[in-house]
Amino acid sequence: MSDSNVNMVAPPDGVVGEGFFATKLNDVVGMARANSLWPLPFATSCCGIEFMATMASHYDLARFGSERVSFSPRQADMLMVMGTISKKMAPILRQVYEQMSEPRWVIAVGACASSGGIFDTYSVLQGIDKVIPVDVYVPGCPPRPEQIVDGVMKLQELVRSESVRRRSSPEYQELLASYNIS
């Protein structure tokens, strides 16, 4: 295979000279984080089936650096909530989120995780953003695998441009405090 056929991540902007390359630490860390997200699927219904298709060979989320699916919150940095979340499940979802180490990101996949979907009842949580902060919303009921891939790519853009110091900023601490997360 020739070098022209290999798809590589474009390097961040920097200064290039003979024998050296200099850039900003934020850009390098952002690029590394964005291309090595480890998803933790929290799937409860039909959106989970679409996620399975997204991880399979036809759509292959591994192309975007999310090959290693983790089923342990301590070894994941991207929580993908898919499907209907009942109010009884909300504390467990929150516990899973809190067990993840920083930096951590959340994608709400589908109408149910985003807004409760068609289930406007007393027992269904009307959006996971009532209990944990959400970074990207993927619409649909259920969303197609292409939409889930697009959601992951949107999250990659966010991660790539995020400052290394954002997680220790007063604004971020205030966001966590609004959810009573320390």
Side-chain angles (χ1 to χ4, degrees), residues 107 136-138 146-156:
I107 299 179
V136 174
Y137 294 90
V138 176
E146 294 92 349
Q147 290 173 276
I148 297 173
V149 168
D150 186 57
V152 170
M153 291 173 69
K154 297 279 188 233
L155 184 67
Q156 284 181 316

